[in-house]
């Protein structure tokens, strides 16, 4: 970020009470941003429905939702980190470590289901705490902290699992976390229900809670937030812990879906999650973003991937097209912001 | 600026630490380099997968039998071509008496093969070939023939006609290519009633393969069968069919082994699978390396064998010996 930008933001906070200012401008911007993303999603669904008759069936729609679930949950959590101006590269392998830990708790140690699941989620919270502590207190750049954690988590997942997958075949009810259908009469896998629930919870935390408000403040201008009396260190740690909790939940859902914890999985998932966040309109420079946008972003990636697969487009081209989608999403976002203010915030 | 410098310093220290740990973890029984026994360094395609653990077991078995020191290492995942090349480079730099190598990418390693040749280290390829004249022999499953057997079983199980699709792990490795082509060619030449409607690649990743198998099934409502070309791909297909509540409606033919695949065959979701003989792959590789060190003549390829297993023969002794869990 440039000096000019810092100054502008500082004066923003000085001349107008922070919340009213960001509210009034942020609300319109946010609505527009989400509407655009939603419109793109609807356009994609329409396109694929016309292009291939097998696309718009209930079972394919649930298929898309299910394939979005794990990466989507990861992305919801990382939205907070990115809004606060950070980044988390340890999402993918960290999630795998959470899955492995849940496997150890439930199979090797034989804990009851709820306790084992909780253990897996808490593993994520611990990883998040370590990330947050390193970023906020030791002041190591988030990119480096989470890159190191990515390797540490990957290694630990292999060490703890003894390099072999852990199977949950003998844990009754475990796969229902992902595959079961808790809502009677509705053919919707639980993983999808969890994704939607967490979106709602995440949106409320980001918009209504102190943590959410401070995440925006820190992401917009850390110094200004500090001067206004925000305990930046504490809130940064909490933001990473929250992201870690989402990571833990994603890990449990992943393991339940595969009925196993595959210790070699997870590399590259962080990039898919970050892509979903960016497509959803959250700025990688922090200070701007939304949880619902992230859900839509994840659904856009899931829909494009599924649609191209249904149409039997060669896989090499699928990858190219997903890359283009990310570019277009960020470009249109920049255009819109260009009209609002001088920087790409 | 000062903040950045400090950050980089800490990062560099962490990297060094990690690199040091990594080197130790990846190899086994290494470190006393200068022992009397001949050193044979094996660089595989992976080390944590059950399949590669079985290869390692066979290699160590041969190591004991022929009294040679065997080291075994491999990248974290089967898509880490660059990581594998680094491992191969450092294995060559250690100066072993012989080298065993399973290429993730059949061409990426050619320059290093020349390097090994110039240092007069005999190289035995295993599991899949290398695009190079350097390896003295290749100890591997005849994947093309094995995939053809999978196709033959598929045609039989769907009654000679219908649509089938393939979930393959990748399109760059020899095993990926041969297991796809062997299957496709058999169908094209022998089963005019069977149509291949889709071929997709999931990197052997369970989640990715599950998602793409789901899409394939949705996109092709008349599908009669799916073939998964390795463990992760086959399990992905099984997951997809289970999630869609279509168990038993589609014929699933797999490749390789593993607990989940064995379970799927026992409970009828998967019709059957081809298994390689990973123990034999490891064993024959080390044996060939020893023979090369003794100056013996080696055949161009060593077929380490493959077998079809399904619910009827899964408990046979012959099958149990080559299934790896």
């Amino acid at each position: 970020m440039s000096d000019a930008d810092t100054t502008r933001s500082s004066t923003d906070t000085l001349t107008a009470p922070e919340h009213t200012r960001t509210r009034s401008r942020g609300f319109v911007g946010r609505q527009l941003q989400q509407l655009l993303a939603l419109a793109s999603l609807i356009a994609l669904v329409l396109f694929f429905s016309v292009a291939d008759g097998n696309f718009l069936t209930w079972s394919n729609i649930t298929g898309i939702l299910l394939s979005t679930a794990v990466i989507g949950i990861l992305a919801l959590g990382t939205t907070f980190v990115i809004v606060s101006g950070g980044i988390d590269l340890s999402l993918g392998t960290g999630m795998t470590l959470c899955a492995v830990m849940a496997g150890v708790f439930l199979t090797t140690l034989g804990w009851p289901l709820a306790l084992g699941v909780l253990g897996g989620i808490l593993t994520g919270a611990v990883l998040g705490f370590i990330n947050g502590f390193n970023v906020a207190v030791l002041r190591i750049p988030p990119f480096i902290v989470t890159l190191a954690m990515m390797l540490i988590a990957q290694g630990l997942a292999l060490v703890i699992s003894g390099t072999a997958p852990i199977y949950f075949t003998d844990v009754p009810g475990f796969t229902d976390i992902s595959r079961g259908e808790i809502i009677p009469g509705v053919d919707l896998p639980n993983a999808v229900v969890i994704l939607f629930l967490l979106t709602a919870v995440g949106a409320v935390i980001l918009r209504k809670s102190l943590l959410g408000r401070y995440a925006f403040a820190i992401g917009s201008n850390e110094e200004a937030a500090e001067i206004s009396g925000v305990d930046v260190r504490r809130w940064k740690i909490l933001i990473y812990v929250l992201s870690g909790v989402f990571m833990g939940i994603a890990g449990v859902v992943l393991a339940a879906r595969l009925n196993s914890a595959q210790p070699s999985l997870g590399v590259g998932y962080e990039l898919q999650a970050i892509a979903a966040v960016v497509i959803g309109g959250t700025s990688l420079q922090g200070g701007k973003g939304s949880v619902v946008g992230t859900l839509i972003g994840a659904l856009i990636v899931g829909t494009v991937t599924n649609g191209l697969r249904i149409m039997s487009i060669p896989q090499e081209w699928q990858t190219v097209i997903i890359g283009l989608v990310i570019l277009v999403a960020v470009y249109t976002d920049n255009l819109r912001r260009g009209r609002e203010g001088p920087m790409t915030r | 600026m000062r903040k950045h410098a400090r950050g980089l310093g800490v990062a560099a220290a962490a990297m060094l630490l990690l690199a040091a740990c990594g080197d130790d973890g990846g190899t086994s029984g290494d470190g006393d380099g200068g022992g009397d026994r001949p050193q044979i360094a094996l660089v595989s395609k992976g080390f944590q997968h059950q399949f590669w653990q079985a290869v390692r077991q066979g290699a160590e078995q041969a190591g004991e039998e022929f009294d040679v020191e065997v080291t075994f290492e491999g990248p974290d995942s089967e898509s880490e071509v660059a990581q594998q090349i680094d491992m191969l480079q450092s294995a060559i730099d250690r100066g072993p008496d012989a080298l065993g190598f399973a290429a993730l990418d059949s061409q990426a390693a050619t320059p290093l093969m020349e390097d090994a040749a110039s240092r007069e280290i005999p190289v035995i390829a295993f599991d899949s070939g290398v695009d190079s004249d350097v390896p003295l022999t290749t100890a591997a499953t005849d994947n093309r023939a094995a995939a053809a057997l999978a196709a033959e079983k598929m045609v039989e199980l769907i009654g000679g006609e219908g649509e089938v699709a393939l979930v393959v792990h990748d399109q760059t490795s020899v095993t990926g290519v041969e297991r796809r082509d062997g299957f496709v060619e058999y169908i094209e030449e022998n089963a005019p009633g069977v149509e291949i409607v889709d071929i997709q690649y999931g990197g052997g990743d369970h989640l990715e393969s599950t998602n793409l198998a789901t899409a394939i099934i949705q996109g092709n409502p008349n599908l009669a069968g799916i073939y998964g070309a390795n463990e992760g791909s086959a399990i992905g297909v099984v997951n997809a069919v289970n999630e869609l509540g279509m168990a038993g409606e589609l014929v699933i033919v797999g490749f390789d082994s593993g607990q989940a695949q064995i379970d799927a065959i026992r409970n009828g979701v998967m019709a059957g699978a081809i298994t390689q003989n990973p123990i034999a792959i490891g064993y024959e590789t080390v044996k060939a390396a020893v023979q090369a060190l003794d100056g013996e003549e080696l055949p161009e390829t060593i077929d380490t064998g493959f077998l079809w297993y399904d619910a009827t023969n899964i408990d046979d002794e012959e099958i149990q010996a080559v299934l790896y869990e």
Side-chain angles (χ1 to χ4, degrees):
Chain A
M1 97 177 72
S2 73
D3 283 343
D5 186 50
T6 317
T7 325
R8 180 182 61 84
S9 304
S10 318
T11 30
D12 270 4
T13 34
L14 288 179
T15 49
E18 189 197 347
H19 56 279
T20 55
R21 178 90 186 171
T22 49
R23 258 283 155 87
S24 58
R25 202 181 63 187
F27 184 74
V28 177
R30 174 160 38 99
Q31 293 300 95
L32 185 72
Q33 173 184 314
Q34 284 174 17
L35 281 176
L36 256 176
L38 194 61
S40 322
L41 180 60
I42 293 168
L44 280 169
V45 170
L46 286 177
F47 171 76
F48 285 120
S49 306
V50 174
D52 195 300
N54 295 312
F55 180 82
L56 202 63
T57 59
W58 178 249
S59 76
N60 192 47
I61 298 299
T62 54
I64 294 174
L65 292 171
L66 193 55
S67 72
T68 306
V70 171
I71 301 291
I73 295 169
L74 265 192
L76 294 176
T78 201
T79 306
F80 288 84
V81 172
I82 293 176
V83 161
S84 77
I87 191 85
D88 193 346
L89 300 178
S90 65
L91 288 172
T93 58
M95 171 179 74
T96 306
L97 179 58
C98 295
V100 167
M101 289 305 291
V104 169
F105 296 144
L106 288 170
T107 62
T108 319
L109 302 179
W111 289 8
L113 185 62
L115 214 58
V117 167
L118 197 67
I121 297 172
L122 281 180
T123 306
V126 171
L127 294 181
F129 178 81
I130 299 171
N131 279 337
F133 183 84
N134 285 331
V135 169
V137 179
L138 302 185
R139 297 191 179 276
I140 307 172
F143 190 90
I144 302 296
V145 166
T146 59
L147 177 71
M149 182 56 85
M150 169 182 168
L151 297 170
I152 293 167
Q154 186 184 6
L156 284 180
L158 289 167
V159 170
I160 292 167
S161 65
T163 74
I166 300 172
Y167 294 100
F168 294 88
T169 315
D170 299 329
V171 183
F174 184 70
T175 53
D176 289 342
I177 293 171
S178 171
R179 296 187 191 172
E181 286 163 11
I182 200 169
I183 307 175
V186 185
D187 183 15
L188 207 59
N190 285 347
V192 178
V193 177
I194 295 172
L195 173 68
F196 287 153
L197 273 179
L198 288 179
T199 307
V201 170
V204 169
I205 298 177
L206 188 63
R207 289 295 156 196
K208 304 288 178 201
S209 78
L210 220 50
L211 185 138
R213 193 168 304 165
Y214 289 160
F216 280 109
I218 295 169
S220 303
N221 190 327
E222 196 173 327
E223 278 167 53
E226 185 94 60
I227 293 164
S228 338
V230 177
D231 186 349
V232 171
R233 279 199 203 180
R234 185 177 127 204
W235 291 105
K236 266 194 179 174
I237 292 177
L238 280 176
I239 286 164
Y240 278 93
V241 168
L242 182 71
S243 172
V245 168
F246 277 78
M247 179 203 276
I249 298 172
V252 171
V253 172
L254 173 76
R257 191 168 175 213
L258 301 178
N259 194 21
S260 61
Q262 301 282 336
S264 50
L265 229 76
V267 182
Y269 290 7
E270 64 284 339
L271 297 181
Q272 293 184 46
I274 293 169
V277 174
V278 169
I279 291 173
T282 296
S283 169
L284 275 177
Q285 292 162 45
K288 190 160 193 173
S290 88
V291 167
V292 175
T294 295
L295 174 69
I296 298 171
L299 286 173
I300 287 177
V301 176
T303 304
V304 173
T305 313
N306 175 280
L308 297 175
R309 277 174 182 160
I310 290 253
M311 291 170 70
S312 301
I313 304 284
Q315 194 143 8
E316 304 80 279
W317 287 107
Q318 294 179 16
T319 314
V320 173
I321 292 168
I322 299 282
L324 288 173
V325 169
I326 295 176
L327 269 188
V328 169
V330 177
Y331 178 68
T332 51
D333 194 39
N334 272 355
L335 274 187
R336 204 166 56 246
R337 279 160 202 207
R339 251 180 277 127
E340 282 173 20
M343 272 294 288
T344 50
R345 289 192 160 227
Chain B
M1 204 56 228
R2 192 151 24 106
K3 202 160 64 178
H4 282 175
R6 192 171 54 180
L8 283 176
V10 173
M15 291 295 177
L16 283 176
L17 191 71
L18 285 169
C21 295
D23 261 0
D24 270 6
T27 57
S28 72
D30 189 24
D32 54 339
D36 304 345
R37 300 195 298 169
Q39 292 261 330
I40 299 175
L42 264 54
V43 178
S44 82
K45 290 181 173 182
F47 76 96
Q48 70 267 45
H49 317 76
Q50 294 162 39
F51 179 85
W52 296 110
Q53 289 292 337
V55 173
R56 177 185 195 160
Q57 189 191 327
E60 283 169 356
Q61 200 179 312
E64 271 173 39
E65 193 176 319
F66 300 108
D67 196 29
V68 291
E69 179 107 17
V70 175
T71 64
F72 190 96
E73 62 191 319
D76 299 330
S77 84
E78 296 194 18
S79 51
E80 297 280 358
V81 178
Q83 192 189 356
Q84 191 195 35
I85 295 297
D86 287 345
M87 285 179 167
L88 180 62
Q89 180 70 65
S90 56
I92 293 173
D93 292 341
R94 285 203 305 269
D97 295 292
L99 191 66
F101 180 54
L104 278 178
D105 182 302
S106 56
Q107 295 192 8
T110 359
L112 286 178
M113 290 289 104
E114 299 300 329
D115 192 10
S118 70
R119 299 182 198 209
E120 292 177 356
I121 302 170
V123 179
I124 311 294
F126 66 98
D127 184 60
S128 54
V130 190
D131 272 0
S132 159
D133 297 332
V134 174
L136 302 168
T137 184
T138 304
T141 310
D142 183 343
N143 279 298
R144 212 174 267 267
L149 177 60
E152 188 187 325
K153 294 287 181 184
M154 173 68 86
V155 172
E156 207 177 289
L157 288 162
I158 62 172
E161 58 186 319
E163 295 180 353
V164 298
L166 286 74
V167 175
V168 185
H169 39 294
D170 66 70
Q171 61 257 74
T172 49
S173 74
V174 173
T175 59
V177 170
E178 289 190 343
R179 288 185 200 173
R180 176 192 64 198
D181 293 352
F183 189 92
V184 171
E185 281 160 14
Y186 178 90
I187 301 261
E188 282 171 354
E189 284 164 21
N190 302 292
V194 176
E195 188 194 353
I196 293 171
V197 290
D198 205 354
I199 303 176
Q200 300 276 343
Y201 305 86
D205 183 293
H206 290 232
L207 181 63
E208 179 71 6
S209 302
T210 304
N211 288 338
L212 71 83
T214 307
I216 289 175
I217 296 168
Q218 299 289 355
N220 301 280
N222 300 320
L223 207 62
I226 305 192
Y227 158 65
N230 79 343
E231 183 186 347
S233 309
I235 291 308
V237 176
V238 167
N239 284 340
V241 165
N242 278 333
E243 282 179 0
L244 293 167
M246 293 174 71
E249 291 172 43
L250 280 172
V251 173
I252 304 174
V253 168
F255 211 113
D256 291 337
S257 163
Q259 188 57 54
Q261 208 161 172
I262 292 168
D263 290 346
I265 287 174
R266 284 194 199 280
N267 63 30
V269 181
M270 183 180 285
I274 302 287
T275 177
Q276 310 184 67
N277 190 344
I279 299 176
I281 294 176
Y283 181 87
E284 293 293 339
T285 305
V286 171
K287 186 179 164 194
V290 171
Q291 287 172 331
L293 290 175
D294 291 345
E296 286 178 40
E297 198 72 17
L298 291 169
E300 198 176 315
T301 57
I302 301 167
D303 185 358
T304 51
F306 58 86
L307 291 156
W308 167 262
Y309 68 105
D310 56 22
T312 63
N313 71 352
I314 194 165
D315 290 317
D316 291 359
E317 223 170 276
E318 183 193 27
I319 298 292
Q320 281 295 320
V322 294
L323 293 186
Y324 34 96
E325 294 178 8

